[in-house]
Amino acid sequence: MTQVPDRQRFEEAYAGDAPWDIGGPQKPFVAVADRVLSPVLDVGCGTGENALFFAGRGHRVTGIDFVEEAIGRARAKAAQRGVAVDFRVADALGLAESDERFATVLDCGLFHVFSDDDRRRYVGGLANVLEPGGRLLLMCFSDAEPGTEGPRRVSQQELCDAFADGWEIECLEPARFAVNPNFTGATFSEGGPKAWFAIVRRLD
Ligand SMILES: C[S@@+](CC[C@H](N)C(=O)[O-])C[C@H]1O[C@@H](n2cnc3c(N)ncnc32)[C@H](O)[C@@H]1O
């Protein structure tokens, strides 16, 4: 079977009703908004709702995604809402080469996309762009979500292993992803796919 490359799969998702495109921020990020410090990087920002939410609260925010269509829509929303966000087309696997530093990084639905190898590379990149003491706010599919439709499931142990060296997991709790009601491509748990929400601090 021919495997569709990751970027192409996401481009196809943006051609229709992407399940994660809910027109607002995911609730767990809103719930911890008071802990967010600038500057903020939203990695795999999609059409930008989480980034726009924090920019609306006065934060300096950069959003990156490797799909041009997503970044185009994010920029259009920012212009329409009169909110400033630096949205850029970029690959999250290139963060290790960045010379920018952020106090907060948001990952809403990206971590669970990566293979084991890419996950290690990605976490190394996060360590590079987060200031010492800075925080990663991460939401990913949980292994408590039944079935195999949608992204890879992630266990609590996998999260602990990924952030074992040079990080402190301050919070790791069950959560639920809100899903675009127009999306019909898969069936998830009633109340939304089961997720983990984590706050991870980069040690000084
Ligand atoms: C599940 S979506 C979540 C989008 C957004 N964070 C949200 O909550 O609406 C994952 C996003 O990550 C992007 N993505 C996947 N792999 C990426 C990579 N290597 N670099 C940058 N963006 C990536 C996809 O294009 C997609 O927009």
Side-chain angles (χ1 to χ4, degrees):
M1 201 166 79
T2 318
Q3 211 175 351
V4 180
D6 279 350
R7 191 184 312 234
Q8 192 181 327
R9 279 196 297 111
F10 282 106
E11 282 165 353
E12 286 167 6
Y14 283 111
D17 286 310
W20 54 84
D21 223 359
I22 58 167
Q26 290 282 349
K27 274 191 191 152
F29 291 87
V30 177
V32 299
D34 288 345
R35 299 187 63 180
V36 166
L37 299 174
S38 288
V40 178
L41 174 66
D42 185 359
V43 198
C45 64
T47 67
E49 290 294 346
N50 296 302
L52 288 161
F53 169 73
F54 285 106
R57 289 176 61 97
H59 288 291
R60 269 179 295 131
V61 186
T62 299
I64 66 166
D65 200 286
F66 69 176
V67 173
E68 270 185 48
E69 173 65 23
I71 291 297
R73 286 194 216 167
R75 287 180 180 146
K77 285 186 201 176
Q80 193 190 22
R81 297 180 197 177
V83 176
V85 177
D86 181 4
F87 283 118
R88 304 179 202 156
V89 177
D91 192 335
L93 294 176
L95 290 177
E97 285 84 55
S98 173
D99 54 11
E100 290 181 281
R101 298 293 175 268
F102 298 89
T104 308
V105 173
L106 315 176
D107 172 333
C108 182
L110 179 63
F111 182 86
H112 60 212
V113 160
F114 295 127
S115 64
D116 288 356
D117 283 349
D118 284 349
R119 184 182 284 178
R120 277 188 284 276
R121 185 170 156 197
Y122 173 59
V123 172
L126 291 175
N128 179 49
V129 295
L130 260 174
E131 294 166 358
R135 288 185 171 83
L136 167 69
L137 274 48
L138 181 151
M139 189 171 179
C140 65
F141 256 57
S142 157
D143 57 349
E145 177 61 19
T148 55
E149 288 182 293
R152 179 178 178 182
R153 276 51 170 169
V154 179
S155 69
Q156 200 166 4
Q157 188 60 52
E158 284 178 275
L159 284 164
C160 292
D161 291 346
F163 296 101
D165 275 338
W167 302 86
E168 180 197 358
I169 299 182
E170 293 183 329
C171 151
L172 176 52
E173 57 190 33
R176 295 294 190 115
F177 273 110
V179 175
N180 179 343
N182 298 322
F183 174 72
T184 53
T187 309
F188 298 118
S189 291
E190 183 94 26
K194 294 180 180 172
W196 293 114
F197 181 74
I199 300 180
V200 189
R201 185 172 160 272
R202 201 201 132 192
L203 295 177
D204 301 339

